[in-house]
Structures are given as C-alpha cells and as structure tokens.
C-alpha cells in the first residue's frame, strides 16, 4: 500500500517527519507493509500534514494529521481510504484543488520529487525533447507566441529577453534563475523547487538550447535549505541521466547547472544585484543600461528569469504555444500560481488562469480570515505591492488592469489582514522594511525610507495643522522615492504607503481621503 507524506518545508514545519515516523512505527508494530513516498506539498497548506493513501479509486487525503492521530487513523482504516473526521475523500476532488488550472504545478505534490522515473511518467522531459529537435529560433518563437511574461514581478515578455540574448554576440552566455523569493506571503518558487525540481531544470535546459548558453545558475535564498538540497540532488541525477552535461538530451549541446546560495538580502532579488551576488560581490544594484541580456553575468549575455517563468517553459514546449496562450485574458496569458497568506482560513497555493478576482481567491479559496473577522485589507505583490482598494476586489486579476489602478500583481503573493489591522502601522512597516533592506546606493531610498518612518510617526502622534503638514510631507516624500530611486526597492515602497493612506485614511487620523 502506497502512502504519501510530504517532505516540503511547509509540511516539515508542522511535523511531517514525525507523522512519517509514526506511520512507519505503527505499521511495523501491526505487521502492515507500506511503501512510504515523501512527495512535495499539494499547496493546501492548512491541511498539512496532508497524508494520502493510494486506493483503487485514486488517492484519498487525510489532514491535518499530527503524529498522535496515526494510531486512530490506522484503526479507522486509513490504509484502505476509509472515512474519518480528518478524511477529505479523493484528493483530486477537494474543491480547492479541483477548481485550479495546474499547468506549471501539475506534478507538484503528485510525484516523488527526486524520482526520474516518476518525472518521466508524468510528462517530464517532453518539452526538452521537443526543443532538442527544433532550431533554436523556433524554440524562442514558441515562448514568444505563448505570451509568457516574467513571473517574478516585472512581467516582461520572456520570449523577448530570450531573443535578445540569442542575438547577442559572444560565445559564452548564461542562464540565471532568480530563486531569491523574498516577497512577503510568497512560496510558489519554494514549493516548486522542493516538489518538482526537474521541471525547473528542464526549463533552464530549454532556455540554454534556445539562446546558446552553456552554464546556468540557480540563485536560491539561504532561508530555503530544503530547496537547495533537493536541487543539488536533482542536478546530480539529471546530469547522470544525460539531461544536463555535455550532450543535453542528445542535442550535442552542453549545459551545466549549479546552485548558488544567497545570503539573505531582499535586494538580491533585484536582477542586477543578484548578478553581483553570484559573482561573489556585495549585492548592490547595477545601473541599466547595459541590459543583462547584453552584458549580464561576468559581463556576458544572460537570460535572467524567475523560477516559475522557467518552470512553465516545459509545458509550453510539450503542448505548444497555442495551448498555453489559450489560458488567461488580455495580454496576461496563461496561469499564475497565486499564494494566499496572512490572516486566512485556508492559506495555500492556487494556480489559475489570469482573470479571476481577488475576492474569489480570498473568499472562495481562502475561506475568509482565520480569526473569523471581516477582511480589512489585502496586499498584493509582496512588501512593495499596494493594498488593493476594497472597491476593486472584484476586478479581474490581470497585469494591465492592475497597473491602471496603481496596483501590481507581482509574484502573485496575497497577504490578508482582518479589521484589527492598523494601516498606518503597516505603512510605517513598509518604510521600515525599505530602510533595513535598502542597498544604500541611492539617496531617495536610503534616506527617504528612514524619513518616511519618522513622518508616519509624527502623523500618528499629532493633530491639527502639524498633522496636515506631515501628511503633505509624506505625499511629497513618496513622490521623490517613486521618481528618484534607482530600482523598485525605493521606487515601490510608496505603493503600500500611499494605498494605505488613500484607502484607510481614518487609520492615519484623517477624516476623508486626501485629494489626489
Ligand atoms: Fe539600492 Fe534602494 Fe537605490 Fe534600489 S532604490 S538601488 S535598493 S538604494
């Protein structure tokens, strides 16, 4: 009997190893033979540790399971998929999962992450095989036609980046994967790297064949030790099997891959600071131009894409650009793995085509707040993203529609707050975060963020004319940071500040919203 217990960090954090040990111990004591598979997480984080049992009708889910629950679950017939208070029926029919459109995450939580046989049996390497049989220009064209845009936050068309690198002069080119997933409320990169590492490796190998790169780096934040270990093991196994190395998938072309561990700086998620860090230097932002596609890592043409962008490439090459392009709306094609976090009853990962609303994500999928109180605010797109106005929670999620209202979709992270949240304090936190994480290269960010904390403190502790003057000063400071900062760190910190001020003026002691 095959039983699945996730090895994902989110599951380990709530005792998955203890559950696995308890299962092995109890089954041995009862003379029951089980084949225990440590899979990735399905992304239904409120159900972790999610134990699944393979039955004739499919995998049956139990969760959240604690080690102490194991004897009673076995008594109730867990190994036969029998009902229990913790049983959710067939995993694939749990509404949270059944209503998703999993293209990039189709294997995550399903397979043994390091099993090459499992990966191949679930459609793995089909995209790379197709790419190896195509001309490099045709591979780039597939990515262009798919409409895939960078999933790290900037949403720049991936195919245009690839085309630029492919056309750039130089025999040495690189693929750099940005896995410095530092946004609040985000975990999609980690879930994929731990749950389906070959998918990222395959995407990077396809990129290498397309642009003529021979060396790749995955820059992973140090806070992700499980992802780093999984990737290193997966790279070794993929190399031994001929999917990496001197003759990638029989193409006659070479591509080597290495993991580089970051050192915990948020700004190293900015692509040029990441390049500095991979080169062994302090992670500070480089001025652009030159673009990294022309002069990137070690001064050579470099494709820089986020984990999800690269991990989406295999399905595009395997099923064709038109298949992927068929999902989404407007210029936002395909799917995005949304990550629902914060004060939420059912936190987790939801991969859906662009076009659904924030309300559908936090209410239908998320189930409202875990405290049961009304939702007050939702920050979308990480610590530099706006608090989306409650009046806009029914808008379709799409890059252009969001940008038109001064919001960002970013990496798809949502952080939910209930009505106990103080938005002035959250705005202060945004400035404080910027002050701590600023690389210090430009003045509006380095100094502006510290002045921002001070001004918000004055706003929340003064009244009358002094108060009004400080609100105006905060607006002016935000203008300076937006227009004068060199990168998104200083340039976008005003997004959460201004949106909090605009949509929740009462928390700043303002009776009505300030004039635009
Ligand atoms: Fe560095 Fe901040 Fe300037 Fe970006 S905006 S370059 S993080 S000081």
């Amino acid at each position: 009997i095959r039983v699945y217990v996730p090895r994902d960090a989110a599951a380990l954090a709530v005792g998955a190893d203890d559950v696995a040990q308890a299962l092995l111990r109890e089954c041995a004591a009862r003379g029951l033979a089980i084949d225990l598979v440590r899979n990735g997480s399905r992304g239904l984080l409120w159900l972790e540790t999610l134990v699944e049992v393979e039955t004739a009708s499919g995998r049956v889910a139990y969760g959240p399971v604690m080690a102490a629950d194991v004897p009673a679950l076995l008594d109730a017939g867990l190994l036969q998929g029998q009902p229990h208070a913790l049983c959710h029926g067939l995993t694939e029919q749990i509404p949270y999962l059944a209503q998703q459109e999993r293209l990039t995450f189709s294997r995550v939580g399903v397979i043994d992450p390091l099993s090459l046989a499992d990966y191949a049996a679930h459609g793995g390497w089909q995209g790379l095989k197709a790419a190896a049989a195509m001309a490099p220009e045709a591979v780039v064209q597939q990515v262009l036609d798919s409409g895939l845009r960078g999933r790290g936050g900037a949403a720049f068309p991936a195919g245009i980046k690839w085309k630029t690198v492919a056309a750039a002069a130089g025999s040495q080119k690189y693929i750099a994967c940005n896995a410095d997933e530092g946004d609040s409320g985000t975990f999609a990169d980690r879930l994929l790297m731990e749950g389906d590492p070959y998918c990222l490796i395959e995407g990077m190998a396809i990129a290498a064949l397309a642009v003529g790169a021979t060396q790749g780096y995955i820059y992973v934040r140090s806070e992700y030790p499980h992802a780093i270990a999984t990737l290193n093991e997966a790279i070794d196994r993929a190399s031994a099997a001929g999917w990496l190395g001197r003759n990638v998938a029989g193409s006659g072309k070479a591509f080597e891959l290495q993991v580089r561990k970051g050192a915990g700086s948020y700004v190293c998620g900015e692509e040029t600071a990441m390049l500095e860090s991979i080169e062994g230097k302090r992670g500070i932002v480089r001025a652009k131009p030159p673009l990294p596609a022309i002069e990137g890592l070690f001064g050579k043409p470099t494709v820089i894409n986020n984990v999800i962008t690269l991990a989406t490439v295999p399905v595009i090459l395997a099923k064709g650009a038109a298949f992927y392009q068929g999902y989404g709306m407007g210029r936002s094609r395909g799917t995005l793995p949304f990550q629902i976090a914060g004060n939420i009853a059912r936190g987790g990962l939801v991969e859906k085509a662009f076009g659904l609303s924030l309300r559908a994500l936090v209410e239908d999928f998320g189930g409202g707040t875990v405290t049961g109180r009304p939702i007050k605010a939702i920050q979308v797109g990480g610590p530099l993203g706006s608090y989306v106005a409650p009046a806009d929670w029914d808008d379709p999620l799409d890059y252009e529609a969001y940008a038109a209202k001064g919001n960002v979709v970013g990496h798809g992270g949502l952080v939910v707050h209930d009505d106990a949240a103080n938005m002035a304090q959250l705005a202060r936190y945004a400035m404080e975060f910027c002050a701590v994480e600023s690389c210090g290269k430009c003045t509006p960010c380095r100094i502006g963020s510290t002045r921002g904390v001070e001004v918000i403190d004055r706003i929340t502790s003064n009244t009358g004319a002094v108060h009004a003057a400080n609100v105006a000063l905060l607006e002016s400071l935000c203008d300076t940071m937006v227009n004068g900062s060199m990168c998104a760190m200083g340039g976008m910190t005003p997004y959460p500040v201004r949106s909090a001020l605009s949509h929740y003026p009462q928390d700043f002691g303002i009776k009505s919203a300030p004039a635009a």
Side-chain angles (χ1 to χ4, degrees), residues 5-19 38-42 45 47-50 65 190-191 194:
V5 177
R7 45 176 281 164
D8 180 273
L12 296 179
V14 292
D17 273 348
D18 293 340
V19 172
R38 302 302 301 271
N39 56 333
S41 171
R42 296 270 195 169
L45 300 186
L47 288 182
E48 295 292 0
T49 300
L50 184 79
V65 175
R190 186 189 57 69
L191 218 68
E194 293 183 20

Side-chain angles (χ1 to χ4, degrees), residues 138-463:
V139 178
V140 173
Q141 196 59 46
Q142 283 286 305
V143 177
L144 271 170
D145 292 347
S146 73
L148 177 67
R149 293 162 69 176
R151 299 291 189 241
F156 188 80
I160 293 180
K161 237 183 219 183
W162 289 26
K163 197 172 180 177
T164 309
V165 175
S171 54
Q172 179 65 66
K173 296 176 185 178
Y174 295 104
I175 310 293
C177 172
N178 189 340
D180 192 56
E181 185 176 46
D183 279 358
S184 41
T186 61
F187 45 85
D189 294 353
R190 186 189 57 69
L191 218 68
L192 188 121
M193 290 187 287
E194 293 183 20
D196 193 11
Y198 297 125
C199 184
L200 174 59
I201 292 170
E202 183 179 354
M204 292 185 74
I206 293 168
L209 296 184
V211 305
T214 53
Q215 178 68 49
Y217 296 95
I218 309 174
Y219 184 83
V220 190
R221 65 199 307 244
S222 59
E223 293 89 339
Y224 283 179
H226 301 93
I228 291 171
T230 304
L231 285 170
N232 278 324
E233 179 65 27
I235 289 169
D236 285 350
R237 293 189 189 195
S239 301
W243 301 110
L244 292 171
R246 290 189 188 158
N247 182 16
V248 174
S251 64
K253 296 177 183 166
F255 182 58
E256 307 280 353
L257 198 48
Q258 287 179 25
V259 173
R260 284 282 187 275
K261 188 166 86 171
S265 160
Y266 180 76
V267 84
C268 285
E270 196 283 336
E271 60 179 10
T272 60
M274 181 190 77
L275 296 180
E276 291 283 303
S277 185
I278 294 176
E279 290 180 12
K281 302 171 191 160
R282 183 177 156 213
I284 55 173
V285 174
R286 292 180 188 172
K288 286 190 272 192
L291 293 172
I294 308 290
E295 246 177 76
L297 194 58
F298 304 109
K300 305 294 182 192
T302 305
V303 167
I304 305 175
N305 282 138
N306 152 269
V307 171
I308 302 303
T309 316
L310 289 161
T312 299
V313 169
V315 71
I316 292 171
L317 267 294
K319 299 197 172 179
F323 167 82
Y324 192 75
Q325 224 266 350
Y327 290 84
M329 64 174 285
R331 289 180 50 224
S332 303
R333 308 313 309 172
T335 60
L336 187 70
F338 295 98
Q339 302 126 83
I340 316 175
N343 187 339
I344 193 80
R346 297 194 292 262
L349 181 131
V350 175
E351 182 178 351
K352 282 289 281 182
F354 289 94
L356 83 167
S357 70
L358 210 48
R359 195 181 300 283
L361 280 166
V362 298
E363 292 183 357
D364 300 349
F365 284 95
T369 63
V370 74
T371 50
R373 299 174 66 99
I375 295 175
K376 175 173 180 174
I378 310 169
Q379 187 175 27
V380 182
L384 311 180
S386 304
Y387 291 97
V388 176
D392 297 334
W393 290 356
D394 293 303
D395 288 359
L397 269 149
D398 149 269
Y399 291 123
E400 276 66 38
Y402 260 50
K405 293 192 174 175
N407 299 321
V408 289
V409 175
H411 187 45
L414 277 54
V415 178
V416 178
H417 298 273
D418 74 8
D419 62 353
N422 181 316
M423 303 309 292
Q425 290 308 310
L426 287 171
R428 183 189 193 279
Y429 174 74
M431 286 290 190
E432 199 182 358
F433 178 78
C434 182
V436 171
E437 296 291 348
S438 168
C439 83
K441 191 156 181 169
C442 61
T443 312
C445 171
R446 187 183 68 247
I447 306 290
S449 50
T450 298
R451 294 291 93 88
V453 172
E454 295 165 358
V455 174
I456 293 172
D457 281 345
R458 289 206 295 274
I459 290 171
T460 52
S461 60
N462 282 291
T463 54

Side-chain angles (χ1 to χ4, degrees), residues 66-81:
M66 307 288 285
D69 297 323
V70 169
L73 280 165
L74 288 170
D75 289 345
L78 172 129
L79 297 184
Q80 291 72 43

